[in-house]
């Protein structure tokens, strides 16, 4: 479908889906549509300390599969630890 007009609502819907994943404390999503079809979905899911990043990443990918398949989006998922310090 046409994605250019639905950029922000689609990002809000994706963020709501990502925040339902166990171990995710906060989610930030950006949608970058292409002209014809498809686009990119950049997800930054902040996780709590005891949760495994691979487990969180697979849960996020599973939650977003309905959106990414329907709108032909390619998801890029970043899962940093919450309150991680840069050294």
């Amino acid at each position: 479908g046409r994605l250019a007009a639905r950029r922000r609502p689609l990002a809000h819907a994706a963020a709501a889906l990502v925040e339902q994943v166990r171990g995710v404390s906060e989610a930030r999503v950006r949608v970058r549509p292409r002209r014809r079809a498809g686009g990119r979905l950049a997800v930054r899911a902040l996780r709590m300390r005891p949760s495994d990043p691979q487990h969180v990443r697979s849960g996020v990918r599973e939650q977003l599969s309905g959106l990414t398949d329907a709108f032909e989006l390619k998801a890029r998922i970043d899962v940093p630890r919450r309150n991680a310090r840069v050294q």
Side-chain angles (χ1 to χ4, degrees):
R2 187 154 173 88
L3 187 61
R6 300 184 211 131
R7 187 171 167 170
R8 191 169 292 149
L10 188 62
H12 287 299
L17 287 172
V18 170
E19 287 174 353
Q20 292 176 5
V21 175
R22 185 178 180 97
V24 174
S25 59
E26 184 182 345
R28 294 180 186 150
V29 180
R30 295 183 88 171
V31 177
R32 301 287 179 149
R34 288 197 198 126
R35 286 211 182 262
R36 294 280 179 200
R40 289 196 176 158
L41 189 70
V43 178
R44 185 176 175 97
L46 298 176
R47 65 182 175 91
M48 291 180 229
R49 194 168 265 188
S51 56
D52 180 36
Q54 294 298 329
H55 179 70
V56 170
R57 188 174 286 119
S58 66
V60 168
R61 192 172 305 279
E62 184 179 325
Q63 279 286 90
L64 290 176
S65 65
L67 281 179
T68 55
D69 294 344
F71 290 102
E72 299 175 13
L73 297 169
K74 184 187 266 189
R76 192 183 124 240
I77 302 167
D78 186 24
V79 185
R81 191 174 71 213
R82 188 174 178 88
N83 297 331
R85 293 183 182 151
V86 177
Q87 294 182 356

Coordinates of all heavy atoms in Angstrom, one line a residue:
G1 N 0.8 -1.2 0.0 CA 0.0 0.0 0.0 C 0.9 1.3 0.0 O 2.1 1.2 0.1
R2 N 0.2 2.4 -0.1 CA 0.9 3.7 -0.1 C 1.3 4.0 1.3 O 0.5 4.1 2.2 CB 0.0 4.7 -0.7 CG 0.8 6.0 -0.9 CD 0.1 6.8 -2.0 NE 0.7 8.1 -2.0 CZ 1.8 8.4 -2.8 NH1 2.3 7.5 -3.5 NH2 2.3 9.6 -2.8
L3 N 2.6 4.2 1.5 CA 3.2 4.4 2.8 C 3.5 5.8 3.1 O 3.6 6.2 4.3 CB 4.4 3.5 2.9 CG 5.1 3.4 4.3 CD1 4.1 2.8 5.3 CD2 6.3 2.5 4.2
A4 N 3.7 6.7 2.2 CA 4.2 8.0 2.4 C 3.3 8.8 3.3 O 3.7 9.7 4.0 CB 4.3 8.7 1.0
A5 N 2.0 8.6 3.2 CA 1.0 9.4 4.0 C 0.9 8.9 5.4 O 0.3 9.6 6.3 CB -0.3 9.5 3.3
R6 N 1.3 7.7 5.7 CA 1.1 7.0 7.0 C 2.4 6.8 7.8 O 2.5 5.8 8.5 CB 0.4 5.7 6.7 CG -0.9 5.9 6.1 CD -1.6 4.5 6.0 NE -2.4 4.5 4.7 CZ -2.3 3.6 3.8 NH1 -1.6 2.6 4.0 NH2 -3.1 3.7 2.8
R7 N 3.3 7.7 7.6 CA 4.6 7.4 8.2 C 4.6 7.5 9.7 O 5.1 6.6 10.4 CB 5.6 8.5 7.7 CG 7.0 8.4 8.0 CD 7.7 9.4 7.2 NE 9.1 9.5 7.8 CZ 10.0 10.2 7.1 NH1 9.7 10.8 6.0 NH2 11.2 10.3 7.7
R8 N 4.0 8.5 10.3 CA 4.0 8.7 11.8 C 3.1 7.7 12.5 O 3.4 7.0 13.4 CB 3.7 10.1 12.2 CG 3.9 10.3 13.7 CD 3.9 11.8 14.0 NE 5.0 12.5 13.4 CZ 4.9 13.8 13.0 NH1 3.8 14.5 13.2 NH2 6.0 14.4 12.5
P9 N 1.8 7.5 11.9 CA 1.0 6.5 12.6 C 1.5 5.1 12.5 O 1.4 4.3 13.5 CB -0.3 6.6 11.8 CG -0.3 7.9 11.2 CD 1.1 8.2 11.0
L10 N 2.2 4.7 11.4 CA 2.8 3.4 11.3 C 4.0 3.3 12.3 O 4.1 2.2 13.0 CB 3.4 3.2 9.9 CG 3.9 1.8 9.6 CD1 2.7 0.8 9.7 CD2 4.4 1.8 8.2
A11 N 4.7 4.3 12.6 CA 5.8 4.3 13.6 C 5.2 4.1 15.0 O 5.7 3.4 15.8 CB 6.6 5.6 13.5
H12 N 4.1 4.8 15.3 CA 3.4 4.6 16.6 C 2.9 3.2 16.8 O 3.0 2.7 17.9 CB 2.3 5.7 16.7 CG 2.8 7.0 16.9 ND1 3.5 7.4 18.0 CD2 2.6 8.2 16.2 CE1 3.8 8.7 17.9 NE2 3.2 9.2 16.8
A13 N 2.3 2.6 15.7 CA 1.8 1.3 15.8 C 2.9 0.3 16.0 O 2.8 -0.6 16.9 CB 1.0 0.9 14.5
A14 N 4.1 0.5 15.3 CA 5.2 -0.4 15.5 C 5.8 -0.3 16.9 O 6.2 -1.3 17.5 CB 6.3 -0.1 14.5
A15 N 5.9 1.0 17.4 CA 6.4 1.2 18.8 C 5.5 0.5 19.8 O 6.0 -0.1 20.8 CB 6.5 2.6 19.1
A16 N 4.2 0.5 19.6 CA 3.2 -0.1 20.5 C 3.4 -1.7 20.5 O 3.4 -2.3 21.6 CB 1.8 0.2 20.2
L17 N 3.7 -2.2 19.3 CA 4.0 -3.6 19.2 C 5.3 -4.0 19.9 O 5.4 -5.1 20.6 CB 4.0 -4.1 17.8 CG 2.6 -4.1 17.0 CD1 2.8 -4.4 15.6 CD2 1.7 -5.2 17.6
V18 N 6.3 -3.2 19.7 CA 7.6 -3.6 20.2 C 7.6 -3.5 21.8 O 8.2 -4.3 22.4 CB 8.7 -2.6 19.7 CG1 10.0 -2.7 20.4 CG2 8.9 -2.9 18.2
E19 N 6.9 -2.5 22.3 CA 6.8 -2.4 23.8 C 6.1 -3.6 24.5 O 6.2 -3.7 25.7 CB 6.2 -1.1 24.2 CG 7.1 0.1 23.9 CD 6.5 1.4 24.1 OE1 5.3 1.5 24.4 OE2 7.2 2.4 24.0
Q20 N 5.4 -4.4 23.7 CA 4.7 -5.6 24.3 C 5.7 -6.7 24.5 O 5.3 -7.7 25.2 CB 3.6 -6.0 23.4 CG 2.4 -5.0 23.4 CD 1.3 -5.5 22.4 OE1 1.4 -6.5 21.8 NE2 0.3 -4.6 22.2
V21 N 6.9 -6.7 23.9 CA 7.8 -7.8 24.0 C 8.4 -7.8 25.4 O 8.7 -6.7 26.0 CB 8.9 -7.6 22.9 CG1 10.0 -8.6 23.1 CG2 8.4 -7.6 21.5
R22 N 8.5 -9.0 25.9 CA 9.1 -9.1 27.3 C 10.5 -8.7 27.4 O 11.3 -9.1 26.5 CB 8.9 -10.6 27.7 CG 9.3 -10.8 29.1 CD 9.1 -12.3 29.5 NE 9.5 -12.6 30.8 CZ 8.6 -12.6 31.8 NH1 7.4 -12.4 31.6 NH2 9.0 -12.9 33.1
G23 N 10.8 -7.8 28.3 CA 12.2 -7.4 28.5 C 12.5 -6.0 27.8 O 13.5 -5.4 28.0
V24 N 11.5 -5.5 27.1 CA 11.7 -4.2 26.4 C 11.1 -3.1 27.3 O 9.9 -3.2 27.7 CB 11.0 -4.1 25.0 CG1 11.0 -2.7 24.5 CG2 11.7 -5.1 24.1
S25 N 11.9 -2.1 27.7 CA 11.4 -1.1 28.6 C 10.9 0.2 27.8 O 10.1 0.9 28.2 CB 12.4 -0.7 29.6 OG 13.6 -0.2 28.9
E26 N 11.5 0.4 26.6 CA 11.2 1.6 25.8 C 11.5 1.3 24.4 O 12.5 0.6 24.1 CB 12.0 2.8 26.3 CG 11.7 4.1 25.6 CD 12.5 5.2 26.2 OE1 13.2 5.1 27.2 OE2 12.6 6.3 25.5
A27 N 10.7 1.9 23.5 CA 11.0 1.6 22.0 C 10.9 2.9 21.3 O 10.1 3.8 21.5 CB 10.0 0.6 21.5
R28 N 11.8 3.1 20.3 CA 11.8 4.2 19.4 C 11.9 3.7 18.0 O 12.7 2.8 17.7 CB 13.0 5.1 19.6 CG 13.0 5.8 21.0 CD 14.2 6.6 21.2 NE 14.2 7.1 22.5 CZ 15.3 7.4 23.2 NH1 16.5 7.3 22.6 NH2 15.3 7.9 24.4
V29 N 10.9 4.1 17.2 CA 10.8 3.6 15.8 C 10.8 4.7 14.8 O 10.1 5.8 15.0 CB 9.5 2.8 15.7 CG1 9.3 2.2 14.3 CG2 9.4 1.7 16.7
R30 N 11.5 4.6 13.7 CA 11.5 5.5 12.6 C 11.2 4.7 11.3 O 11.7 3.7 11.1 CB 12.9 6.2 12.5 CG 13.2 7.0 13.6 CD 14.5 7.7 13.4 NE 14.2 9.0 12.7 CZ 15.1 9.9 12.5 NH1 16.3 9.7 12.8 NH2 14.8 11.0 11.9
V31 N 10.3 5.3 10.6 CA 9.9 4.7 9.3 C 10.4 5.6 8.2 O 10.2 6.8 8.1 CB 8.3 4.6 9.2 CG1 7.9 4.0 7.8 CG2 7.8 3.8 10.3
R32 N 11.1 4.9 7.2 CA 11.7 5.6 6.1 C 11.1 4.9 4.8 O 11.6 3.9 4.3 CB 13.2 5.5 6.0 CG 13.9 6.0 7.2 CD 13.8 7.5 7.2 NE 14.5 8.0 8.4 CZ 15.1 9.2 8.4 NH1 15.2 9.9 7.3 NH2 15.7 9.6 9.5
P33 N 10.0 5.5 4.3 CA 9.4 4.9 3.1 C 10.2 5.1 1.8 O 11.0 6.1 1.7 CB 8.0 5.6 3.0 CG 8.3 6.9 3.6 CD 9.3 6.7 4.7
R34 N 10.0 4.3 0.8 CA 10.6 4.5 -0.5 C 9.5 5.0 -1.4 O 8.3 5.0 -1.0 CB 11.1 3.1 -1.1 CG 12.3 2.7 -0.4 CD 13.0 1.6 -1.2 NE 13.9 0.9 -0.4 CZ 13.9 -0.4 -0.3 NH1 13.1 -1.2 -0.9 NH2 14.8 -1.0 0.5
R35 N 9.8 5.5 -2.5 CA 8.8 6.1 -3.4 C 7.8 5.1 -3.9 O 6.6 5.4 -3.9 CB 9.5 6.7 -4.6 CG 10.2 8.0 -4.3 CD 10.2 8.9 -5.5 NE 10.9 10.1 -5.3 CZ 10.3 11.2 -4.9 NH1 9.0 11.3 -4.8 NH2 11.0 12.3 -4.7
R36 N 8.2 4.0 -4.4 CA 7.2 3.0 -5.0 C 6.6 2.1 -4.0 O 5.5 2.2 -3.6 CB 7.9 2.2 -6.1 CG 8.4 2.9 -7.2 CD 7.3 3.2 -8.2 NE 7.7 3.9 -9.3 CZ 6.9 4.6 -10.1 NH1 5.6 4.6 -9.9 NH2 7.4 5.3 -11.1
A37 N 7.4 1.2 -3.4 CA 6.9 0.3 -2.4 C 8.0 0.0 -1.4 O 9.2 0.0 -1.8 CB 6.4 -1.0 -3.1
G38 N 7.6 -0.4 -0.2 CA 8.5 -0.8 0.8 C 9.2 0.4 1.5 O 8.7 1.5 1.5
G39 N 10.3 0.1 2.1 CA 11.0 1.1 2.9 C 11.7 0.4 4.1 O 11.9 -0.8 4.1
R40 N 12.1 1.2 5.0 CA 12.9 0.7 6.1 C 12.2 1.1 7.4 O 11.6 2.2 7.6 CB 14.3 1.3 6.2 CG 15.1 0.8 5.1 CD 16.6 1.1 5.3 NE 17.3 0.4 4.3 CZ 18.5 0.8 3.9 NH1 19.1 1.8 4.5 NH2 19.2 0.1 3.0
L41 N 12.4 0.2 8.4 CA 11.8 0.4 9.7 C 13.0 0.3 10.7 O 13.5 -0.8 10.8 CB 10.8 -0.6 10.0 CG 9.9 -0.5 11.2 CD1 8.9 0.7 11.1 CD2 9.1 -1.8 11.5
A42 N 13.4 1.4 11.3 CA 14.5 1.4 12.2 C 14.0 1.3 13.7 O 13.2 2.2 14.1 CB 15.4 2.6 12.1
V43 N 14.3 0.3 14.4 CA 13.8 0.1 15.7 C 14.9 0.1 16.7 O 15.9 -0.6 16.6 CB 13.0 -1.3 15.8 CG1 12.5 -1.5 17.2 CG2 11.9 -1.3 14.8
R44 N 14.7 0.9 17.8 CA 15.7 0.9 18.9 C 14.9 0.5 20.1 O 14.1 1.3 20.7 CB 16.3 2.3 19.1 CG 17.4 2.4 20.1 CD 18.0 3.7 20.1 NE 18.9 3.8 21.2 CZ 20.2 3.7 21.0 NH1 20.7 3.4 19.9 NH2 21.1 3.8 22.1
A45 N 15.1 -0.7 20.6 CA 14.3 -1.2 21.7 C 15.3 -1.3 22.9 O 16.2 -2.1 22.9 CB 13.8 -2.6 21.4
L46 N 15.0 -0.5 23.9 CA 15.9 -0.5 25.1 C 15.4 -1.6 26.0 O 14.2 -1.8 26.3 CB 15.8 0.9 25.8 CG 16.2 2.1 25.1 CD1 16.0 3.3 25.9 CD2 17.7 2.0 24.7
R47 N 16.4 -2.4 26.4 CA 16.0 -3.6 27.2 C 16.5 -3.5 28.6 O 17.4 -2.7 29.0 CB 16.6 -4.9 26.6 CG 18.1 -4.9 26.7 CD 18.7 -6.1 26.0 NE 20.2 -6.0 26.0 CZ 21.0 -6.5 26.9 NH1 20.4 -7.1 28.0 NH2 22.3 -6.4 26.8
M48 N 15.8 -4.2 29.5 CA 16.2 -4.2 30.9 C 17.4 -5.1 31.1 O 17.7 -6.0 30.2 CB 15.1 -4.8 31.8 CG 13.9 -3.8 31.8 SD 12.6 -4.5 32.8 CE 11.2 -4.2 31.7
R49 N 18.1 -4.9 32.1 CA 19.4 -5.5 32.4 C 19.4 -7.1 32.3 O 20.3 -7.7 31.6 CB 20.0 -5.1 33.7 CG 21.5 -5.4 33.8 CD 22.0 -4.7 35.0 NE 22.6 -3.4 34.5 CZ 23.3 -2.6 35.3 NH1 23.5 -2.9 36.6 NH2 23.8 -1.5 34.8
P50 N 18.5 -7.8 32.9 CA 18.7 -9.3 32.9 C 18.2 -9.9 31.6 O 18.4 -11.1 31.5 CB 17.8 -9.7 34.1 CG 16.8 -8.7 34.2 CD 17.5 -7.4 33.8
S51 N 17.6 -9.2 30.7 CA 17.1 -9.9 29.5 C 18.2 -10.1 28.5 O 19.1 -9.3 28.3 CB 16.0 -9.1 28.9 OG 16.4 -7.8 28.7
D52 N 18.1 -11.2 27.7 CA 19.1 -11.5 26.7 C 18.8 -10.7 25.4 O 17.7 -10.7 24.9 CB 18.9 -13.0 26.4 CG 19.9 -13.5 25.4 OD1 21.0 -13.0 25.3 OD2 19.5 -14.4 24.6
P53 N 19.8 -10.1 24.8 CA 19.6 -9.3 23.6 C 19.1 -10.1 22.4 O 18.2 -9.6 21.7 CB 20.9 -8.6 23.4 CG 21.9 -9.3 24.2 CD 21.2 -10.0 25.3
Q54 N 19.6 -11.3 22.2 CA 19.1 -12.1 21.1 C 17.7 -12.5 21.3 O 16.9 -12.5 20.3 CB 20.0 -13.4 21.0 CG 21.4 -13.1 20.6 CD 21.5 -12.4 19.3 OE1 20.7 -12.6 18.4 NE2 22.5 -11.6 19.1
H55 N 17.3 -12.8 22.5 CA 15.9 -13.2 22.8 C 14.9 -12.0 22.5 O 13.9 -12.1 21.9 CB 15.7 -13.7 24.2 CG 14.4 -14.0 24.6 ND1 13.7 -15.2 24.1 CD2 13.5 -13.4 25.4 CE1 12.5 -15.2 24.6 NE2 12.3 -14.2 25.4
V56 N 15.4 -10.8 22.9 CA 14.6 -9.6 22.7 C 14.5 -9.3 21.3 O 13.4 -8.9 20.7 CB 15.2 -8.4 23.5 CG1 14.5 -7.1 23.1 CG2 15.0 -8.6 25.0
R57 N 15.6 -9.4 20.5 CA 15.6 -9.1 19.1 C 14.7 -10.0 18.3 O 13.9 -9.6 17.4 CB 17.1 -9.2 18.6 CG 17.2 -8.7 17.1 CD 18.6 -8.7 16.7 NE 19.3 -7.6 17.3 CZ 20.4 -7.7 18.1 NH1 20.9 -8.9 18.4 NH2 21.0 -6.7 18.6
S58 N 14.7 -11.3 18.7 CA 13.8 -12.2 18.0 C 12.4 -12.0 18.3 O 11.5 -12.1 17.4 CB 14.2 -13.7 18.3 OG 14.0 -14.0 19.7
G59 N 12.1 -11.6 19.6 CA 10.7 -11.3 19.9 C 10.2 -10.0 19.2 O 9.0 -10.0 18.8
V60 N 11.1 -9.0 19.1 CA 10.7 -7.8 18.3 C 10.4 -8.1 16.9 O 9.4 -7.7 16.3 CB 11.8 -6.7 18.5 CG1 11.6 -5.6 17.5 CG2 11.8 -6.2 19.9
R61 N 11.3 -8.9 16.3 CA 11.1 -9.3 14.9 C 9.8 -10.1 14.7 O 9.1 -9.8 13.7 CB 12.3 -10.2 14.4 CG 12.3 -10.3 12.9 CD 13.6 -11.0 12.5 NE 14.8 -10.3 12.9 CZ 15.4 -9.3 12.3 NH1 14.8 -8.8 11.3 NH2 16.5 -8.7 12.8
E62 N 9.5 -10.9 15.6 CA 8.2 -11.7 15.5 C 7.0 -10.8 15.7 O 6.0 -10.9 14.9 CB 8.2 -12.8 16.6 CG 7.0 -13.7 16.6 CD 7.1 -14.7 17.7 OE1 8.2 -15.2 18.0 OE2 6.0 -15.1 18.2
Q63 N 7.1 -9.8 16.6 CA 5.9 -8.9 16.8 C 5.7 -8.0 15.6 O 4.6 -7.7 15.2 CB 6.2 -8.0 18.0 CG 5.9 -8.6 19.3 CD 4.4 -8.7 19.6 OE1 3.8 -9.7 19.2 NE2 3.8 -7.7 20.2
L64 N 6.8 -7.6 14.9 CA 6.7 -6.7 13.8 C 6.5 -7.4 12.4 O 6.3 -6.7 11.4 CB 8.0 -5.9 13.6 CG 8.2 -4.9 14.7 CD1 9.6 -4.2 14.5 CD2 7.2 -3.8 14.7
S65 N 6.4 -8.7 12.4 CA 6.3 -9.4 11.2 C 5.0 -9.1 10.4 O 5.0 -9.0 9.2 CB 6.4 -11.0 11.4 OG 5.3 -11.4 12.2
G66 N 3.9 -8.8 11.1 CA 2.7 -8.4 10.4 C 2.8 -7.1 9.7 O 2.3 -7.0 8.6
L67 N 3.5 -6.1 10.3 CA 3.7 -4.8 9.7 C 4.7 -4.9 8.6 O 4.5 -4.3 7.5 CB 4.1 -3.8 10.7 CG 3.1 -3.2 11.6 CD1 3.7 -2.2 12.5 CD2 2.0 -2.5 10.8
T68 N 5.8 -5.6 8.8 CA 6.9 -5.6 7.8 C 6.4 -6.4 6.6 O 6.8 -6.0 5.5 CB 8.2 -6.2 8.4 OG1 7.9 -7.5 8.9 CG2 8.7 -5.3 9.5
D69 N 5.7 -7.4 6.7 CA 5.2 -8.2 5.6 C 4.1 -7.4 4.8 O 4.1 -7.4 3.6 CB 4.6 -9.5 6.0 CG 5.7 -10.4 6.6 OD1 6.9 -10.1 6.4 OD2 5.3 -11.4 7.3
A70 N 3.2 -6.7 5.5 CA 2.1 -6.0 4.8 C 2.6 -4.8 4.0 O 2.1 -4.6 3.0 CB 1.1 -5.6 5.9
F71 N 3.6 -4.1 4.6 CA 4.1 -2.9 3.9 C 5.4 -3.1 3.2 O 6.0 -2.1 2.8 CB 4.1 -1.7 4.9 CG 2.8 -1.3 5.4 CD1 2.3 -1.6 6.6 CD2 2.0 -0.4 4.6 CE1 1.1 -1.2 7.1 CE2 0.8 0.0 5.0 CZ 0.3 -0.4 6.3
E72 N 5.9 -4.3 3.2 CA 7.2 -4.6 2.5 C 8.3 -3.8 3.1 O 9.1 -3.2 2.4 CB 7.1 -4.4 1.0 CG 6.1 -5.3 0.3 CD 5.9 -4.9 -1.2 OE1 6.8 -4.2 -1.7 OE2 4.9 -5.4 -1.8
L73 N 8.4 -3.8 4.4 CA 9.4 -3.0 5.1 C 10.6 -3.9 5.5 O 10.3 -5.1 5.9 CB 8.8 -2.3 6.4 CG 7.7 -1.3 6.2 CD1 7.1 -1.0 7.5 CD2 8.3 -0.1 5.5
K74 N 11.8 -3.4 5.5 CA 12.9 -4.1 6.0 C 13.2 -3.5 7.4 O 13.5 -2.3 7.6 CB 14.1 -3.8 5.1 CG 15.3 -4.6 5.5 CD 16.5 -4.2 4.6 CE 16.6 -5.1 3.4 NZ 17.9 -4.9 2.6
A75 N 13.2 -4.4 8.4 CA 13.4 -3.9 9.8 C 14.9 -4.0 10.2 O 15.5 -5.0 10.0 CB 12.5 -4.7 10.7
R76 N 15.4 -2.9 10.8 CA 16.7 -2.9 11.4 C 16.5 -2.7 12.9 O 15.9 -1.7 13.3 CB 17.5 -1.8 10.9 CG 19.0 -1.9 11.3 CD 19.8 -0.7 10.8 NE 20.4 -0.1 12.0 CZ 20.2 1.1 12.4 NH1 19.4 1.9 11.8 NH2 20.8 1.5 13.5
I77 N 16.9 -3.7 13.7 CA 16.6 -3.7 15.1 C 17.8 -3.6 15.9 O 18.8 -4.4 15.8 CB 15.8 -5.0 15.5 CG1 14.6 -5.2 14.7 CG2 15.5 -5.1 17.0 CD1 13.9 -6.5 14.7
D78 N 17.9 -2.6 16.8 CA 19.0 -2.3 17.7 C 18.5 -2.5 19.1 O 17.5 -1.9 19.5 CB 19.5 -0.8 17.4 CG 20.7 -0.5 18.2 OD1 21.5 -1.5 18.6 OD2 21.0 0.7 18.5
V79 N 19.2 -3.3 19.9 CA 18.8 -3.6 21.2 C 19.9 -3.3 22.2 O 20.6 -4.2 22.7 CB 18.4 -5.1 21.4 CG1 17.8 -5.4 22.7 CG2 17.4 -5.5 20.3
P80 N 20.1 -2.0 22.6 CA 21.1 -1.7 23.6 C 20.5 -1.9 25.0 O 19.3 -2.0 25.2 CB 21.3 -0.2 23.4 CG 20.1 0.3 22.8 CD 19.5 -0.8 22.0
R81 N 21.4 -2.0 26.0 CA 20.9 -2.2 27.3 C 20.5 -0.8 27.9 O 21.2 0.2 27.6 CB 22.0 -2.8 28.2 CG 21.6 -3.2 29.6 CD 22.6 -3.9 30.3 NE 23.6 -3.0 30.7 CZ 24.9 -3.2 30.8 NH1 25.4 -4.5 30.5 NH2 25.8 -2.3 31.2
R82 N 19.5 -0.7 28.6 CA 19.1 0.5 29.2 C 20.1 1.0 30.2 O 20.7 0.2 31.0 CB 17.7 0.3 29.9 CG 17.1 1.6 30.4 CD 15.7 1.4 31.0 NE 15.2 2.6 31.5 CZ 14.5 3.5 30.8 NH1 14.2 3.2 29.5 NH2 14.0 4.6 31.3
N83 N 20.4 2.3 30.2 CA 21.4 3.0 31.1 C 22.8 2.4 30.8 O 23.6 2.4 31.7 CB 21.0 2.8 32.5 CG 19.8 3.5 32.9 OD1 19.4 4.4 32.3 ND2 19.1 2.9 33.9
A84 N 23.1 2.0 29.6 CA 24.4 1.5 29.2 C 25.3 2.7 29.2 O 25.0 3.8 28.6 CB 24.4 0.8 27.9
R85 N 26.5 2.6 29.7 CA 27.5 3.7 29.8 C 28.5 3.5 28.6 O 28.9 2.4 28.2 CB 28.3 3.6 31.1 CG 27.4 3.9 32.2 CD 28.3 4.0 33.5 NE 27.5 4.2 34.6 CZ 27.7 3.8 35.8 NH1 28.8 3.1 36.0 NH2 27.0 4.1 36.8
V86 N 28.8 4.6 28.0 CA 29.8 4.6 26.9 C 31.2 4.8 27.6 O 31.4 5.6 28.4 CB 29.5 5.8 26.0 CG1 30.6 5.8 24.9 CG2 28.1 5.7 25.4
Q87 N 32.1 3.9 27.2 CA 33.4 4.0 27.7 C 34.5 4.3 26.7 O 34.4 4.0 25.6 CB 33.8 2.6 28.4 CG 32.9 2.3 29.6 CD 33.3 1.0 30.2 OE1 34.2 0.3 29.7 NE2 32.7 0.7 31.3

